Amino acid sequence: MDPNTENPNITPHKYVVSKRLDNMFFSIYHAYQFVLRFFKEVLVPPYEFKEIIHQCYEVGYKSLPLISLTGFITGVVFTNQSRPSLANFGATSWLPSLISIAIIRALAPLVTALIAAGKVGSNMGAELGSMKVTEQIDAMEVSATNPFKYLVVSRILATTFMIPILVMYTACVALMGAFLSVHSNEQTSFAMFFSQVFDTISFLDIFSTTFKSTVFGFTIGVVGCYHGYNSSKGTEGVGRAANSAVVAAMFLIFVEEIVIVQIVNAFR
Amino acid sequence: MVKKQKLIDRTNAVISIKDLKKSFGDLAVLRGVDLEVYQGENLVVLGRSGTGKSVLIKIISGLLLPDHGDVDVLGQSVEHLSTKELMELRLKVGFSFQNSALYDSMTVRQNLEFPLVRNSRNLKRKQINVEVESVLEAVGLSQTIEQMPSELSGGQRKRIGIARTLILRPEIMLYDEPTAGLDPITCIEINNLINEVQEKYKTTSIIITHDLTCAKETGDRIAMLLDGQFAIQGTFDEVFASQDDRIQSFYNYNFTQ
């Protein structure tokens, strides 16, 4: 509709806003259909076990070096930053408790999910996007293979399974980093440090972190695959798919974090 | 290679299209297409870029849905098939893409195995190897079996793309611009390959092109798509004997180029 001729009450500005709103609601509906299709396809055979395992390797094993480094640095830096505040109250003995709560409840899931959104999400967006624009997805379809099941379902399952495992690994590495920092400054033993850590964290902490990580993993997979699978407009579209996959996944991770923390706190 | 005249049974249409219409937004691409393709023939669809030639074969293979009209392939109405039925039909309809659409992350062997393994899950490794080697030999590229698509030339990629569709032994082959972007010698090789495939595998083919040499060498019949409809159908000589200015300008432009 031409904003200047059809209706004099609709200014170009209003037209642009309404079109953007239209697009936004259409995208939400489209994404909803995508997620719905995932749940329909995930339960129906044939199951792509080989591809799921391959994707688990891509998501999990290949992320280990980056996750290890980031987790370790997070543990060391967080401990070093927290020490002066606790030292003011003569409470440095509380460091292991404080660190364990921060790492298990918030830092490990968030840091892992954000790194995975950047590494895995962008990779999925770019890979599927490039397959889409070079007609490789159509080629799968015409050779009687369901590309959604092979490419999308396997990737979403891989991130959903692997992110919680990576989060647990990050938590362990971060706690090791924290221990080294505490040990070098307060001469705390390994056994004492970890006994205080495990005394502080509860089953609810572990459960909520696992649940949260599963949700984050699912989100990273869905967002990465959605943007890649629906990319268009050639190489520009591939770049945009990779970029949108990261931005949207990070935004959703923060929103989910807030919501899940509120829910978990209600049970605490 | 000189194209041999074939006897085509005009009573046995394997693809039948009636009043097919397809638009993208406000742009009407196909505006009432009628077409019949007979068992064993090579039909060439000619037309300028953007006239909807590729859209036509994407509708035949079920990649796109028509807005209006009937598309029957091997006696089945494509737009009314369930997903499972469409998958079964696709086993009989091979599609060779303009840019080959080889899977970048897989070797030639894995590219060829992919449709076979997914559709015949009980096949043994030995049988798979035999099938892969057989189609590679048919397209004359046995030596490329362990190469990645990025290591192949444009012509080789086209051949491997054709081999990948042949591995499922389709009854119908759809070629989307098989000679686009290739040098004249490779074009001749691809044209010969299309004819050899037809002879060896007894396929019915639709070849989408705007290359008149390809049309002349491969087509038993030519259908000229102009303004969203078939303006004329017949042999190469019959089509270009037409006095229609649009057809003459297409012919003259191609051969002066």
mmCIF file of all heavy atoms in Angstrom, chain A residues 175-194:
data_model
loop_
_atom_site.group_PDB
_atom_site.id
_atom_site.type_symbol
_atom_site.label_atom_id
_atom_site.label_comp_id
_atom_site.label_asym_id
_atom_site.label_seq_id
_atom_site.Cartn_x
_atom_site.Cartn_y
_atom_site.Cartn_z
ATOM 1 N N LEU A 175 35.625 -23.421 39.316
ATOM 2 C CA LEU A 175 35.901 -23.679 40.735
ATOM 3 C C LEU A 175 37.375 -24.011 40.948
ATOM 4 O O LEU A 175 37.971 -23.639 41.964
ATOM 5 C CB LEU A 175 35.008 -24.815 41.258
ATOM 6 C CG LEU A 175 33.542 -24.425 41.485
ATOM 7 C CD1 LEU A 175 32.693 -25.650 41.818
ATOM 8 C CD2 LEU A 175 33.406 -23.378 42.598
ATOM 9 N N MET A 176 37.970 -24.697 39.969
ATOM 10 C CA MET A 176 39.406 -24.988 40.062
ATOM 11 C C MET A 176 40.218 -23.691 40.022
ATOM 12 O O MET A 176 41.177 -23.504 40.785
ATOM 13 C CB MET A 176 39.847 -25.907 38.907
ATOM 14 C CG MET A 176 39.538 -27.373 39.105
ATOM 15 S SD MET A 176 40.125 -28.045 40.657
ATOM 16 C CE MET A 176 41.895 -27.926 40.408
ATOM 17 N N GLY A 177 39.787 -22.780 39.111
ATOM 18 C CA GLY A 177 40.457 -21.475 39.013
ATOM 19 C C GLY A 177 40.321 -20.712 40.318
ATOM 20 O O GLY A 177 41.292 -20.119 40.836
ATOM 21 N N ALA A 178 39.101 -20.768 40.872
ATOM 22 C CA ALA A 178 38.838 -20.076 42.131
ATOM 23 C C ALA A 178 39.685 -20.686 43.256
ATOM 24 O O ALA A 178 40.261 -19.969 44.080
ATOM 25 C CB ALA A 178 37.353 -20.178 42.470
ATOM 26 N N PHE A 179 39.775 -22.026 43.263
ATOM 27 C CA PHE A 179 40.574 -22.697 44.294
ATOM 28 C C PHE A 179 42.046 -22.252 44.227
ATOM 29 O O PHE A 179 42.654 -21.958 45.257
ATOM 30 C CB PHE A 179 40.479 -24.221 44.156
ATOM 31 C CG PHE A 179 41.544 -24.938 44.908
ATOM 32 C CD1 PHE A 179 41.512 -24.983 46.307
ATOM 33 C CD2 PHE A 179 42.612 -25.549 44.247
ATOM 34 C CE1 PHE A 179 42.530 -25.614 47.013
ATOM 35 C CE2 PHE A 179 43.614 -26.178 44.948
ATOM 36 C CZ PHE A 179 43.580 -26.215 46.339
ATOM 37 N N LEU A 180 42.589 -22.203 43.005
ATOM 38 C CA LEU A 180 44.000 -21.806 42.862
ATOM 39 C C LEU A 180 44.215 -20.405 43.407
ATOM 40 O O LEU A 180 45.223 -20.125 44.089
ATOM 41 C CB LEU A 180 44.428 -21.881 41.392
ATOM 42 C CG LEU A 180 44.595 -23.291 40.826
ATOM 43 C CD1 LEU A 180 44.986 -23.232 39.359
ATOM 44 C CD2 LEU A 180 45.631 -24.089 41.618
ATOM 45 N N SER A 181 43.259 -19.515 43.152
ATOM 46 C CA SER A 181 43.365 -18.139 43.647
ATOM 47 C C SER A 181 43.278 -18.105 45.175
ATOM 48 O O SER A 181 44.086 -17.454 45.852
ATOM 49 C CB SER A 181 42.261 -17.293 43.029
ATOM 50 O OG SER A 181 42.251 -16.026 43.619
ATOM 51 N N VAL A 182 42.286 -18.853 45.719
ATOM 52 C CA VAL A 182 42.105 -18.895 47.178
ATOM 53 C C VAL A 182 43.311 -19.550 47.844
ATOM 54 O O VAL A 182 43.820 -19.058 48.859
ATOM 55 C CB VAL A 182 40.799 -19.661 47.533
ATOM 56 C CG1 VAL A 182 40.697 -19.923 49.030
ATOM 57 C CG2 VAL A 182 39.591 -18.871 47.064
ATOM 58 N N HIS A 183 43.760 -20.653 47.241
ATOM 59 C CA HIS A 183 44.885 -21.399 47.806
ATOM 60 C C HIS A 183 46.157 -20.535 47.861
ATOM 61 O O HIS A 183 46.882 -20.549 48.853
ATOM 62 C CB HIS A 183 45.134 -22.651 46.961
ATOM 63 C CG HIS A 183 46.288 -23.463 47.411
ATOM 64 N ND1 HIS A 183 46.267 -24.208 48.573
ATOM 65 C CD2 HIS A 183 47.526 -23.647 46.881
ATOM 66 C CE1 HIS A 183 47.421 -24.818 48.726
ATOM 67 N NE2 HIS A 183 48.214 -24.480 47.720
ATOM 68 N N SER A 184 46.395 -19.774 46.800
ATOM 69 C CA SER A 184 47.628 -18.984 46.759
ATOM 70 C C SER A 184 47.577 -17.801 47.721
ATOM 71 O O SER A 184 48.605 -17.311 48.162
ATOM 72 C CB SER A 184 47.927 -18.511 45.339
ATOM 73 O OG SER A 184 46.853 -17.729 44.894
ATOM 74 N N ASN A 185 46.380 -17.319 48.061
ATOM 75 C CA ASN A 185 46.274 -16.167 48.959
ATOM 76 C C ASN A 185 45.959 -16.547 50.400
ATOM 77 O O ASN A 185 46.454 -15.927 51.327
ATOM 78 C CB ASN A 185 45.193 -15.215 48.454
ATOM 79 C CG ASN A 185 45.649 -14.458 47.223
ATOM 80 O OD1 ASN A 185 46.402 -13.504 47.314
ATOM 81 N ND2 ASN A 185 45.215 -14.929 46.063
ATOM 82 N N GLU A 186 45.056 -17.526 50.574
ATOM 83 C CA GLU A 186 44.621 -17.860 51.937
ATOM 84 C C GLU A 186 45.161 -19.196 52.443
ATOM 85 O O GLU A 186 44.794 -19.637 53.537
ATOM 86 C CB GLU A 186 43.086 -17.899 52.000
ATOM 87 C CG GLU A 186 42.438 -16.530 52.149
ATOM 88 C CD GLU A 186 42.227 -15.833 50.814
ATOM 89 O OE1 GLU A 186 42.208 -16.526 49.785
ATOM 90 O OE2 GLU A 186 42.109 -14.592 50.788
ATOM 91 N N GLN A 187 45.970 -19.883 51.609
ATOM 92 C CA GLN A 187 46.536 -21.192 51.950
ATOM 93 C C GLN A 187 45.454 -22.203 52.355
ATOM 94 O O GLN A 187 45.634 -23.020 53.260
ATOM 95 C CB GLN A 187 47.577 -21.081 53.085
ATOM 96 C CG GLN A 187 48.937 -20.555 52.633
ATOM 97 C CD GLN A 187 48.929 -19.058 52.399
ATOM 98 O OE1 GLN A 187 48.437 -18.329 53.246
ATOM 99 N NE2 GLN A 187 49.434 -18.620 51.257
ATOM 100 N N THR A 188 44.304 -22.123 51.706
ATOM 101 C CA THR A 188 43.230 -23.090 51.973
ATOM 102 C C THR A 188 43.530 -24.394 51.230
ATOM 103 O O THR A 188 43.967 -24.342 50.081
ATOM 104 C CB THR A 188 41.881 -22.525 51.470
ATOM 105 O OG1 THR A 188 41.735 -21.234 52.022
ATOM 106 C CG2 THR A 188 40.710 -23.392 51.854
ATOM 107 N N SER A 189 43.266 -25.520 51.898
ATOM 108 C CA SER A 189 43.552 -26.802 51.234
ATOM 109 C C SER A 189 42.436 -27.139 50.237
ATOM 110 O O SER A 189 41.322 -26.616 50.325
ATOM 111 C CB SER A 189 43.662 -27.920 52.267
ATOM 112 O OG SER A 189 42.383 -28.189 52.784
ATOM 113 N N PHE A 190 42.756 -28.051 49.327
ATOM 114 C CA PHE A 190 41.798 -28.508 48.316
ATOM 115 C C PHE A 190 40.537 -29.072 48.985
ATOM 116 O O PHE A 190 39.410 -28.724 48.645
ATOM 117 C CB PHE A 190 42.485 -29.565 47.444
ATOM 118 C CG PHE A 190 41.658 -30.069 46.304
ATOM 119 C CD1 PHE A 190 41.623 -29.391 45.092
ATOM 120 C CD2 PHE A 190 40.903 -31.222 46.442
ATOM 121 C CE1 PHE A 190 40.856 -29.863 44.037
ATOM 122 C CE2 PHE A 190 40.132 -31.696 45.387
ATOM 123 C CZ PHE A 190 40.113 -31.017 44.184
ATOM 124 N N ALA A 191 40.769 -29.948 49.985
ATOM 125 C CA ALA A 191 39.641 -30.617 50.655
ATOM 126 C C ALA A 191 38.761 -29.612 51.372
ATOM 127 O O ALA A 191 37.521 -29.658 51.284
ATOM 128 C CB ALA A 191 40.175 -31.642 51.644
ATOM 129 N N MET A 192 39.384 -28.662 52.043
ATOM 130 C CA MET A 192 38.610 -27.663 52.805
ATOM 131 C C MET A 192 37.800 -26.774 51.858
ATOM 132 O O MET A 192 36.625 -26.490 52.089
ATOM 133 C CB MET A 192 39.551 -26.810 53.654
ATOM 134 C CG MET A 192 38.802 -25.887 54.606
ATOM 135 S SD MET A 192 39.934 -24.905 55.565
ATOM 136 C CE MET A 192 40.445 -26.097 56.772
ATOM 137 N N PHE A 193 38.459 -26.375 50.769
ATOM 138 C CA PHE A 193 37.782 -25.499 49.798
ATOM 139 C C PHE A 193 36.536 -26.186 49.247
ATOM 140 O O PHE A 193 35.426 -25.644 49.267
ATOM 141 C CB PHE A 193 38.750 -25.139 48.661
ATOM 142 C CG PHE A 193 38.132 -24.292 47.568
ATOM 143 C CD1 PHE A 193 38.109 -22.902 47.689
ATOM 144 C CD2 PHE A 193 37.573 -24.867 46.435
ATOM 145 C CE1 PHE A 193 37.530 -22.116 46.692
ATOM 146 C CE2 PHE A 193 36.995 -24.084 45.443
ATOM 147 C CZ PHE A 193 36.979 -22.716 45.566
ATOM 148 N N PHE A 194 36.743 -27.441 48.774
ATOM 149 C CA PHE A 194 35.611 -28.105 48.126
ATOM 150 C C PHE A 194 34.567 -28.593 49.117
ATOM 151 O O PHE A 194 33.391 -28.692 48.776
ATOM 152 C CB PHE A 194 36.106 -29.217 47.187
ATOM 153 C CG PHE A 194 36.545 -28.654 45.865
ATOM 154 C CD1 PHE A 194 37.879 -28.373 45.619
ATOM 155 C CD2 PHE A 194 35.608 -28.328 44.889
ATOM 156 C CE1 PHE A 194 38.283 -27.823 44.412
ATOM 157 C CE2 PHE A 194 36.009 -27.772 43.684
ATOM 158 C CZ PHE A 194 37.339 -27.511 43.425
#
